[in-house]
Amino acid sequence: MSFGIDRYLNVRSAYGASLSAHGLAFLMDTTGVPQVWTLDSPGRWPEQRTFSDERVTFVTWSPERPELAFGMDDGGNERAQLFRLDTETGEIHPLTGVPEAKHRWGGWSPDGERIAFASNRRDESVFDVYVQGREERGDEAELVAEGDGWLSLVGWSPDGTRLLVHEAHASFDHDLHVLDLGTGEMAHLTPHEGAIRYSGPEWGPDGEAIYLVTDEGEDTLYLARLGLDGELTVVESGGEWNVGGVALDEESGTVAYSRNVDGYTDLTVGKLVGETEIEEFPAPEVGKGIAGGVSFDDGGERFSITVTGTSTNPNVFVVDAESGSAERWTRAPTAGIPDGSFVDADLVRFESFDGLSVPAFFSLPESATEGETPVIVDIHGGPESQRRPSFSSVKQYFLHRGYAYFEPNVRGSSGYGREYTHLDDVEKRMDSVADIRAGVEWLHDHAAVDPDRIAVMGGSYGGFMVLASMTEYPDLWAAGVDIVGIANFVTFLENTGDWRRELREAEYGSLEDDREFLEEISPINRIESIAAPLFVLHGANDPRVPVGEAEQIAEEAAKHVPVRKLIFEDEGHGFTKLENRIEAYSAIAEFLDEHV
């Protein structure tokens, strides 16, 4: 049986859940964009709570009332506004109403009377800390601390007197502060030298310490306890793999943390029985794949979690913390496509030019025949990201059409330790592109692959990798697809959102010190080398990689090869609206069928 891209893109996802005595709230894209839905018991059809054409970015229950907070931007512009939804009346009340600013949710106060958030209202390039009453709006918010960088809020202390503030200097260099709301003083907990991550922090019981994951002194992330005096103590070592995150119920001391084992989630649940001692419970029965987004109920006895795999679309499970038994609550539909038709991926490794072992996920279609199978090399963005074994309706569609799918985690990817992540920094940027060449050479040696029919596709930083691969190694490719990608690092850094520039310069190099190098590695300056047809797609409202990147690469590449360009006026950094996704991937499929 054959299904078109519209059917595959109608495979739904349920995720981002919040669990409380009032039920389960979560996001689901049944209408074509993520909206808020609620359930009061497993397996029933949920109740839709928001009805917008714009995407909802998060949802969370009030700790005291049957009301929800959620965020929503406009046309993908990432300038999220905050709202309060009364689930008894259905009324939605705007909380922020400052559309020119970004708002980053910081949590409900323990009594549910106030909210906190970080926003760049005062200065677009920095984030400040705000607190406001649940019935207040807009300018009624109180600015409680001015920031001078990328601040976000982790949450309120259990007694409601302090806020935990996370500051990002770069993707892998963080600091933590405690803001006293009574005095306005900000206590710095993590003075350090060099780049160190302090991620996923959670208030401990009684607000006497912070539990977090960090790589201070180690190559991989580990679970630690940070005293308010700055003393750091190891709770659970990461070993070979990163501890990927921690969730802690302040009242009960129930804790959940995960390891990222070659992309797969290894989840541990237990109870704090001492400051650094965890009594482990039986492993949660959620299967092999990726699981995350833990939300404890009011007593810490249960938690919700989103579960997905390469052949399983995302759904929300509720787990009994002590026994590990799990029950699937949501039934996000698969658009009538049989579950058994979805293809699993194999974890493989290939050797790069310098002997580095590079991991990748490789999927073969059922129709694969020796020496005749075309391949899509799909490169993740970030660059400090990781391709993990999660569900992709786009990938499953192309597998259904007979393409193999190759997803490398080249040097610079996260998930494999600090050293691996920094192997592509600044002047080593093009080494990661050389990894792509090594991956294609591995494909050439695979019995099923047709070496003359290999295409490259990627989004955001992955779009840069597409363009760089096509200009550095033009003979490898039959076609390329660049989605919201970087073509020119100089114009990208000049025009990206003010709030992002410092973080991105820390990764790529600065305009002041590294301009010549940035120009050297920009694909736009090597475009005459391109030899394969190119398809460029972008959102006009993209605040991260401005649409000018697409305009300039399409114009210059068209002087050398066939080029197609598709710009969506109501999208930003990626495509979230169903009708746009169907148009985009239908066009990509036509393009690849023509040239591959």
Side-chain angles (χ1 to χ4, degrees):
M1 186 175 294
S2 180
F3 299 103
I5 185 64
D6 55 334
R7 286 288 289 274
Y8 277 88
L9 291 179
N10 272 286
V11 175
R12 303 307 189 187
S13 299
Y15 61 98
S18 176
L19 184 64
S20 84
H22 303 295
L24 183 76
F26 58 97
L27 303 182
M28 189 163 64
D29 54 359
T30 296
T31 63
V33 290
Q35 296 295 299
V36 177
W37 299 70
T38 59
L39 269 173
D40 55 16
S41 60
R44 299 180 60 185
W45 183 253
E47 183 174 355
Q48 187 176 349
R49 297 292 190 166
T50 58
F51 301 87
S52 175
D53 292 331
E54 302 294 346
R55 63 178 177 177
V56 175
T57 55
F58 78 91
V59 63
T60 183
W61 282 108
S62 161
E64 293 294 330
R65 295 178 177 83
E67 61 185 14
L68 297 160
F70 68 92
M72 186 166 59
D73 69 359
D74 183 13
N77 67 2
E78 299 186 15
R79 298 177 186 272
Q81 304 301 306
L82 306 179
F83 302 84
R84 177 171 59 86
L85 189 160
D86 186 322
T87 61
E88 292 185 336
T89 67
E91 291 181 280
I92 294 175
H93 306 274
L95 290 168
T96 49
V98 185
E100 66 275 13
K102 294 169 68 74
H103 299 86
R104 310 177 73 188
W105 175 250
W108 293 95
S109 62
D111 61 5
E113 292 294 336
R114 295 175 293 169
I115 65 167
F117 58 87
S119 179
N120 62 346
R121 294 179 178 185
R122 179 180 60 87
D123 180 341
E124 190 176 65
S125 64
V126 300
F127 286 83
D128 301 324
V129 179
Y130 293 82
V131 170
Q132 76 178 62
R134 54 179 286 277
E135 294 186 349
E136 294 178 331
R137 178 181 177 181
D139 292 340
E140 294 177 291
E142 178 186 1
L143 195 163
V144 294
E146 290 189 359
D148 60 0
W150 187 276
L151 298 186
S152 57
L153 299 180
V154 180
W156 300 70
S157 61
D159 64 2
T161 64
R162 294 160 293 165
L163 288 169
L164 183 56
V165 181
H166 183 273
E167 181 178 13
H169 308 291
S171 297
F172 283 72
D173 187 18
H174 309 154
D175 268 308
L176 291 177
H177 310 266
V178 171
L179 173 62
D180 188 310
L181 293 174
T183 66
E185 294 182 2
M186 189 105 76
H188 184 196
L189 301 185
T190 53
H192 64 277
E193 296 181 357
I196 298 176
R197 284 178 284 179
Y198 301 97
S199 302
E202 296 268 344
W203 284 100
D206 302 321
E208 296 178 352
I210 310 299
Y211 290 83
L212 72 158
V213 295
T214 180
D215 57 2
E216 181 177 321
E218 299 291 340
D219 186 57
T220 56
L221 293 164
Y222 57 91
L223 177 60
R225 179 186 187 272
L226 178 66
L228 298 186
D229 59 359
E231 182 180 355
L232 190 75
T233 309
V234 177
V235 177
E236 192 67 38
S237 171
E240 183 182 359
W241 305 106
N242 285 330
V243 174
V246 59
L248 176 64
D249 181 67
E250 299 159 1
E251 182 179 345
S252 66
T254 305
V255 62
Y257 65 92
S258 62
R259 279 190 177 84
N260 177 347
V261 180
D262 245 336
Y264 293 90
T265 299
D266 181 9
L267 186 64
T268 300
V269 179
K271 188 180 184 69
L272 280 172
V273 292
E275 291 184 348
T276 60
E277 184 181 353
I278 297 175
E279 177 186 319
E280 289 190 16
F281 296 150
E285 300 167 356
V286 294
K288 184 178 181 181
I290 300 177
V294 169
S295 172
F296 287 104
D297 67 5
D298 297 335
E301 296 180 353
R302 302 180 304 159
F303 61 87
S304 61
I305 189 168
T306 302
V307 179
T308 183
T310 54
S311 58
T312 308
N313 61 319
N315 273 286
V316 179
F317 287 68
V318 173
V319 180
D320 180 87
E322 192 165 341
S323 71
S325 64
E327 187 170 15
R328 177 175 164 180
W329 272 49
T330 64
R331 301 284 171 182
T334 61
I337 302 173
D339 293 356
S341 69
F342 298 137
V343 179
D344 276 321
D346 292 325
L347 177 63
V348 301
R349 287 183 175 270
F350 60 88
E351 186 175 303
S352 194
F353 67 95
D354 56 356
L356 182 72
S357 177
V358 179
F361 289 98
F362 184 54
S363 308
L364 275 173
E366 291 185 3
S367 60
T369 55
E370 185 171 349
E372 297 182 1
T373 307
V375 184
I376 295 172
V377 176
D378 189 352
I379 308 173
H380 69 69
E384 314 96 334
S385 185
Q386 181 187 22
R387 188 56 56 91
R388 301 185 67 183
S390 59
F391 186 83
S392 165
S393 56
V394 170
K395 177 173 73 172
Q396 292 297 334
Y397 169 68
F398 282 115
L399 286 163
H400 178 69
R401 290 181 68 89
Y403 291 88
Y405 222 80
F406 187 72
E407 303 164 278
N409 282 311
V410 298
R411 71 189 68 207
S413 301
S414 60
Y416 307 97
R418 180 206 300 262
E419 181 180 355
Y420 192 88
T421 301
H422 289 303
L423 288 177
D424 73 335
D425 285 358
V426 191
E427 71 278 358
K428 296 176 284 188
R429 177 70 46 209
M430 301 309 286
D431 287 353
S432 61
V433 183
D435 290 344
I436 297 296
R437 178 181 63 176
V440 173
E441 291 171 349
W442 182 89
L443 289 170
H444 285 178
D445 292 335
H446 195 286
V449 171
D450 183 343
D452 295 324
R453 293 201 293 159
I454 299 177
V456 61
M457 180 167 69
S460 189
Y461 177 80
F464 156 75
M465 291 290 285
V466 167
L467 298 172
S469 297
M470 294 181 74
T471 52
E472 290 292 316
Y473 308 109
D475 296 337
L476 296 180
W477 310 107
V481 180
D482 161 31
I483 304 171
V484 299
I486 301 167
N488 184 331
F489 276 108
V490 172
T491 56
F492 159 67
L493 289 171
E494 287 175 342
N495 297 315
T496 193
D498 291 344
W499 60 88
R500 304 186 72 250
R501 187 170 298 110
E502 183 179 346
L503 282 176
R504 293 298 83 201
E505 286 188 325
E507 168 67 29
Y508 301 133
S510 73
L511 289 169
E512 181 177 352
D513 299 328
D514 304 295
R515 180 180 289 263
E516 184 176 346
F517 173 73
L518 293 169
E519 290 176 344
E520 179 185 334
I521 66 171
S522 293
I524 192 72
N525 296 323
R526 299 178 58 85
I527 198 62
E528 71 279 356
S529 300
I530 196 169
L534 176 66
F535 193 2
V536 179
L537 303 94
H538 219 102
N541 301 323
D542 192 337
R544 302 188 187 195
V545 181
V547 69
E549 297 296 299
E551 302 285 1
Q552 61 179 305
I553 198 67
E555 180 180 351
E556 292 301 315
K559 299 175 183 178
H560 307 282
V561 296
V563 172
R564 182 172 179 182
K565 181 181 71 174
L566 181 57
I567 308 296
F568 291 96
E569 296 299 326
D570 57 347
E571 295 282 10
H573 194 63
F575 315 129
T576 61
K577 297 180 179 178
L578 180 60
E579 63 271 22
N580 293 339
R581 286 172 54 79
I582 290 173
E583 181 180 351
Y585 287 103
S586 294
I588 290 171
E590 293 171 4
F591 175 80
L592 293 179
D593 284 351
E594 178 183 355
H595 297 290
V596 181

